Amino acid sequence: MRDEYATLLIAALALAVLPFALDIVGLPLRTSIDVVVFAIACMGLNVLVGHTGLVSFGHGAWFGLGAYAAALSQRYWFPGQIILPFLFAIFFVAAAALLSGALILRRRGVYFSLLTLALTALLFAIGYRWTELTGGESGLGGVTRATVLNLDLESDHAYYWVVAAIGMAVCYVLWRFHRSPAGSVLVAIRENEERARFVGYPTNRYKLIGFVLSATVVAIAGTLSVFNHRFASAEPLAVAFSGELVAMVVIGGMRSFLGPALGALFFILFREFLSIWTPHWLFYFGLLFVGFIVFSPTGLVGVAGRILAPFRKRTIEAAAMAGRRITEPAGLPQVYRRSSASAAPVLVARGLVKRFGGIHAVDGIDLTVRDRTLHALIGPNGAGKTTAFNLVSGLFPPDAGTIELEGRSIAGLKPEDITAAGVGRSFQITNLFGGLSAEENLRLAVQARSAKRFALWTSAAAVAEVNEETADLVAFLGLTGIEQAEAASLSYGGQRLLDMGLAIATRPRILLLDEPLAGLAAAERTRIAALLTTIAAEIPVLLVEHDIDRVFQIADHVTVMNEGKVLVDGTVEDARSDAKVREVYIGSGVAALAAKPRVSAAGATPLLVVDKVDTFYGKSHILNAVSLDVREHEIVALLGRNGAGKSTLLKTVIGIAPPGAGSIRVAGENTAGFASAEIARRGIGYVPQGRGLFAGMTVADNLALGRLKRITGSGIHWTDDRIASYFPRLTERWHSPADYLSGGEQQMLAVARALAGDVRVLLLDEPFEGLSPAVTEELFEAFDQLRYDVAMIIVDHHLDLALALSDRTVVLERGSVTWSGPSHALRDDLALRRKMLWM
């Protein structure tokens, strides 16, 4: 409890000490009032900047409007009073912010920032030129302080304690708000607004709440300031003043509750003392501002943390996934179950059409999903499956066709309205609130269905029914032990599991799951497949998945798409036996592909040597004394469970996650600690999980950028013609933007871009993830031929493929090497494979 209120105790103590501390350094009491006023303004601005992620360059407008409203209302309506002008100014600004926010918040990102900038520029022009009302450039004087309850506010001493009391009240209100359900949604919007909409939050309403609250708090500061200086002017309406407020927030620490107040104190002291020496103090303040952005993005709070770090005991933790406790899957929580199944179809889509330019992504498909069934939607990459999901869930409106959920039309509705109607979905590329914990992610999704989701005062962590449902969901998903781990720190498989959990938490009438098994280890795939069967017994599931063997085991109905059309719609046997489906999608199958003998090209000379490498993510110890080597033309498979450290090892080799200890030698040169660009120029090509393409650029442009700085002689030189010989599909799409390619073509482009230039070692992170069986076969054969040109490290959860392709295997468990040897040993000895790889 003491820790819970520590922030408020610090604020109260600071307000009590401030006037005495500033008096010691020779500053008058009026300066102390200014510090509190600016602290209030900065904490108000931080509601948007730090907590919601909306950067306003025009918040000085509310400061100036509050000052003018108080001064003018005292002059014309409430002469000699202070309380009524104060209240009038607050309500006036709140009303103005409500109206302007409803307009400005229609735009996002830089457009929102520019609109706030335009607003303050407009108001400055009015305030500066409307001399009859505002006093123009001379300002508006004659503001007085009244006597209230026998307290003479004309005294600076009395006025300071009133301002301090108001500041403490504002601090308490904001503290309560940020802990409330509505405040937690603003943080979710900052982390990932799209996902917030897809768990059911009307984000524009929440942003408007934050905008009005922020403007109102800043107006309180403006009103207090006008009574402090007894003078109103257009200066706070100037763009420069708004910029100063933003600078104070950033310098103090915008992710900290009291950081902006610390920034205000720093600004006042800097101004007061430096202005004695030079009239150009703002120039030096600007330089300091740039310095903080470059060297300490967390502001003064971050600087204090660094200074105190040597005096604190350093805590080293295991990787995020290491704390997970696997238990027998619990049953689907009761809140997600229905008493009986519906005889009528739950989801019916007819004649769905969606075009992107000249591409027919979906071309007249029909879908019917019945209650308590697992309906698989499969097809080759680029068939239009994810686009169909996007149409049903509201990411895109259909160009033609109808979509009905239990007889109600949902076509063209907003995502949050479709989610509220009963459509929950996961995403092909995990879509989480990355900076929040796994538990906070799930709580936000559960909270979206709570009656208290708009509450402004109640603590979000104290809503009992939300906590209970979140705990049940954690147990059902198998996330016990990692609830407090940051979502972004989870392994990719853990993130996929959490992504599915967010969809379930919306209490859907139908669940759309886009490749939930992608990136999961074999044992985890089996577990999640069992969960899917459990879910489908209560909630109908529309599933997109490329693990075709698993799909055929668990699906009740299958729809096969190809080139935006439905190819087959029927039973599993209908899809399995269709000749066209086998031709365009299934191919020869993983078993046949893995059984084909491969000839090793491995040489004896080590190209890459990793020696006793440790890697940390903050406090988490991810890699622990890892050693391995890769020889010329050798393919090494790096295997292990989710969270074992495989992707981290690749990132350490390429320099994204610099090692804390150990060495990494590329052709004899120690590259540990080098920047990623320098390592890439040593002949290391890296294909990240998720591909990381330059989406708006063409295939040719992606390759050109990949090659631009990597013609160094370090390895084989990869020209466009040489790349095209391995990936002929890319020549057909040479001038197409990368985001217009199918998933398989995007993966080929990611590999091609990593090769472009001069390369001798290729790092592949889950290259077969999310690919249809036919495309997987095509890519597998390309890698098999690439062994004669480059060495490779491959991380992939398709064990049969990784073992068939590689010469040698290294197994990681909790960041340490537990086994290393020839791949055929694991391929042929199932007992050894079970022992080493838990399958």
Side-chain angles (χ1 to χ4, degrees):
M1 183 66 71
R2 186 182 303 168
D3 291 341
E4 188 177 356
Y5 290 94
T7 298
L8 296 177
L9 293 174
I10 291 171
L13 181 61
L15 288 169
V17 170
L18 180 66
F20 304 104
L22 294 191
D23 183 60
I24 292 173
V25 296
L27 294 177
L29 193 57
R30 190 163 295 183
T31 301
S32 297
I33 298 172
D34 277 341
V35 169
V36 179
V37 164
F38 277 99
I40 293 172
C42 289
M43 292 180 71
L45 174 57
N46 201 43
V47 173
L48 286 187
V49 176
H51 291 273
T52 316
L54 297 174
V55 181
S56 171
F57 291 133
H59 246 51
W62 311 119
F63 192 101
L65 273 183
Y68 270 128
L72 289 169
S73 62
Q74 187 189 64
R75 169 175 287 193
Y76 294 109
W77 298 331
F78 313 114
Q81 297 192 50
I82 187 171
I83 294 179
L84 289 178
F86 177 83
L87 294 176
F88 171 79
I90 303 310
F91 284 109
F92 174 79
V93 170
L98 181 65
L99 294 175
S100 59
L103 175 65
I104 293 173
L105 288 168
R106 293 173 181 267
R107 294 291 176 263
R108 303 177 186 177
V110 67
Y111 299 105
F112 167 82
S113 300
L114 289 176
L115 283 173
T116 60
L117 190 66
L119 175 66
T120 194
L122 175 65
L123 291 177
F124 175 76
I126 294 172
Y128 195 73
R129 297 184 182 279
W130 196 353
T131 306
E132 294 81 2
L133 181 67
T134 65
E137 60 182 302
S138 299
L140 191 67
V143 178
T144 62
R145 301 181 203 155
T147 298
V148 178
L149 300 177
N150 295 322
L151 186 63
D152 183 12
L153 297 185
E154 290 292 343
S155 162
D156 284 348
H157 182 79
Y159 188 63
Y160 171 80
W161 293 109
V162 169
V163 170
I166 293 173
M168 192 64 216
V170 167
C171 189
Y172 180 70
V173 168
L174 291 178
W175 181 77
R176 291 296 298 252
F177 172 76
H178 289 314
R179 290 158 46 88
S180 72
S184 68
V185 176
L186 294 188
V187 175
I189 291 171
R190 179 193 72 201
E191 294 293 323
N192 188 342
E193 183 174 356
E194 180 184 73
R195 190 50 156 159
R197 298 182 72 195
F198 276 97
V199 296
Y201 289 112
T203 55
N204 280 344
R205 294 185 200 173
Y206 284 93
K207 288 191 292 185
L208 186 58
I209 290 172
F211 188 88
V212 172
L213 176 63
S214 176
T216 303
V217 171
V218 173
I220 290 173
T223 304
L224 295 174
S225 178
V226 81
F227 288 118
N228 184 34
H229 296 284
R230 308 167 195 266
F231 178 80
S233 73
E235 182 184 354
L237 298 172
V239 172
F241 183 83
S242 294
E244 289 170 8
L245 289 181
V246 173
M248 289 181 230
V249 170
V250 173
I251 287 176
M254 60 184 177
R255 293 294 175 89
S256 168
F257 180 71
L258 290 179
L262 184 61
L265 173 63
F266 181 86
F267 175 83
I268 297 295
L269 294 179
F270 193 94
R271 181 188 68 184
E272 293 295 331
F273 287 114
L274 197 62
S275 61
I276 297 173
W277 304 103
T278 174
H280 308 297
W281 66 273
L282 263 178
F283 170 78
Y284 296 100
F285 183 78
L287 290 179
L288 192 67
F289 176 62
V290 172
F292 269 101
I293 291 177
V294 174
F295 299 108
S296 182
T298 51
L300 289 168
V301 172
V303 172
R306 292 181 197 173
I307 293 173
L308 295 175
F311 305 100
R312 292 174 176 168
K313 183 179 178 181
R314 186 182 179 190
T315 305
I316 297 178
E317 303 170 349
M321 294 295 290
R324 185 181 178 198
R325 299 191 295 274
I326 303 294
T327 58
E328 286 298 316
L332 186 68
Q334 185 63 42
V335 71
Y336 303 111
R337 303 182 187 184
R338 295 173 68 89
S339 57
S340 61
S342 171
V346 175
L347 179 73
V348 178
R350 292 281 181 261
L352 285 186
V353 175
K354 187 63 184 179
R355 302 179 183 88
F356 297 103
I359 299 174
H360 287 63
V362 171
D363 193 7
I365 69 165
D366 296 336
L367 273 176
T368 300
V369 181
R370 299 196 170 275
D371 202 6
R372 296 187 177 179
T373 62
L374 199 156
H375 189 129
L377 182 62
I378 64 174
N381 297 109
K385 307 180 297 298
T386 296
T387 301
F389 265 33
N390 291 338
L391 297 180
V392 173
S393 62
L395 186 61
F396 305 132
D399 295 332
T402 61
I403 307 171
E404 293 184 353
L405 181 67
E406 294 190 310
R408 174 192 172 188
S409 176
I410 59 172
L413 295 182
K414 297 176 181 177
E416 56 267 34
D417 294 331
I418 291 178
T419 300
V423 177
R425 73 162 294 181
S426 69
F427 288 79
Q428 185 178 29
I429 298 174
T430 53
N431 202 357
L432 305 171
F433 306 111
L436 305 182
S437 71
E439 184 182 49
E440 287 170 330
N441 270 260
L442 292 174
R443 180 185 282 115
L444 278 164
V446 170
Q447 180 184 275
R449 290 287 193 171
S450 170
K452 295 183 178 180
R453 61 190 178 276
F454 279 106
L456 305 177
W457 198 254
T458 305
S459 173
V463 182
E465 61 270 22
V466 172
N467 290 339
E468 182 180 346
E469 188 175 332
T470 301
D472 290 343
L473 200 53
V474 166
F476 173 70
L477 293 169
L479 295 174
T480 303
I482 57 171
E483 304 98 318
Q484 302 309 316
E486 190 176 279
S489 72
L490 299 178
S491 70
Y492 191 71
Q495 291 184 28
R496 295 214 68 86
L497 188 59
L498 183 57
D499 194 41
M500 184 173 76
L502 292 185
I504 297 171
T506 62
R507 299 188 193 177
R509 187 64 188 92
I510 183 171
L511 192 59
L512 278 58
L513 300 179
D514 200 346
E515 299 191 30
L517 303 181
L520 300 181
E524 190 74 347
R525 283 172 179 246
T526 301
R527 183 181 179 281
I528 301 307
L531 283 184
L532 293 179
T533 303
T534 301
I535 294 168
E538 300 289 344
I539 306 169
V541 175
L542 182 59
L543 174 73
V544 169
E545 182 53 58
H546 285 305
D547 187 343
I548 196 66
D549 294 331
R550 196 83 60 180
V551 167
F552 285 165
Q553 287 173 8
I554 64 178
D556 300 306
H557 192 96
V558 178
T559 299
V560 185
M561 288 184 65
N562 185 43
E563 297 181 346
K565 299 178 183 292
V566 172
L567 192 61
V568 172
D569 184 61
T571 64
V572 167
E573 190 54 39
D574 291 337
R576 195 199 317 260
S577 60
D578 189 274
K580 186 66 174 176
V581 172
R582 296 199 66 86
E583 176 188 347
V584 302
Y585 182 56
I586 298 177
S588 58
V590 170
L593 195 62
K596 184 179 176 181
R598 307 284 162 179
V599 178
S600 174
T605 305
L607 278 180
L608 174 68
V609 178
V610 177
D611 186 28
K612 296 180 180 178
V613 162
D614 285 4
T615 300
F616 296 83
Y617 287 155
K619 298 178 182 178
S620 298
H621 194 176
I622 309 299
L623 299 181
N624 186 10
V626 171
S627 297
L628 62 83
D629 62 84
V630 183
R631 301 178 180 91
E632 288 180 332
H633 306 296
E634 184 181 29
I635 301 179
V636 174
L638 190 59
L639 305 180
R641 290 191 286 191
N642 294 113
K646 306 180 299 296
S647 294
T648 299
L649 180 53
L650 297 190
K651 291 176 181 177
T652 300
V653 170
I654 196 63
I656 296 172
S663 65
I664 302 171
R665 309 192 78 82
V666 178
E669 181 183 11
N670 188 4
T671 61
F674 282 21
S676 297
E678 289 296 324
I679 296 173
R681 286 195 279 271
R682 265 61 176 182
I684 306 294
Y686 174 55
V687 183
Q689 190 172 21
R691 299 156 193 162
L693 298 173
F694 306 118
M697 304 180 72
T698 65
V699 169
D701 290 338
N702 269 269
L703 294 181
L705 277 175
R707 181 180 296 113
L708 188 61
K709 292 290 185 180
R710 295 200 299 154
I711 303 176
T712 60
S714 300
I716 289 178
H717 180 62
W718 290 84
T719 63
D720 288 343
D721 290 340
R722 190 183 189 104
I723 288 172
S725 68
Y726 282 94
F727 306 110
R729 280 201 197 196
L730 296 182
T731 60
E732 302 168 11
R733 310 301 298 274
W734 203 250
H735 300 293
S736 297
D739 50 342
Y740 279 24
L741 305 184
S742 69
E745 290 166 343
Q746 288 185 9
Q747 188 64 60
M748 292 174 188
L749 177 56
V751 176
R753 187 188 58 184
L755 289 171
D758 295 346
V759 174
R760 51 190 167 197
V761 180
L762 186 61
L763 311 178
L764 299 166
D765 198 352
E766 299 286 355
F768 301 124
E769 180 188 304
L771 303 184
S772 68
V775 173
T776 296
E777 183 174 345
E778 188 176 344
L779 202 57
F780 183 95
E781 296 295 350
F783 292 149
D784 190 36
Q785 293 303 309
L786 277 170
R787 73 170 76 233
Y788 298 102
D789 293 323
V790 296
M792 284 179 268
I793 299 180
I794 180 170
V795 171
D796 205 282
H797 282 113
H798 287 72
L799 295 183
D800 290 332
L801 295 181
L803 293 174
L805 184 66
S806 59
D807 303 298
R808 192 156 47 91
T809 295
V810 175
V811 176
L812 289 182
E813 168 65 3
R814 297 190 178 185
S816 298
V817 174
T818 57
W819 189 87
S820 179
S823 294
H824 66 77
L826 288 176
R827 187 172 64 239
D828 302 334
D829 188 341
L830 291 182
L832 180 62
R833 190 192 297 196
R834 290 190 187 97
K835 181 180 178 182
M836 293 295 107
L837 297 172
W838 312 276
M839 61 159 294

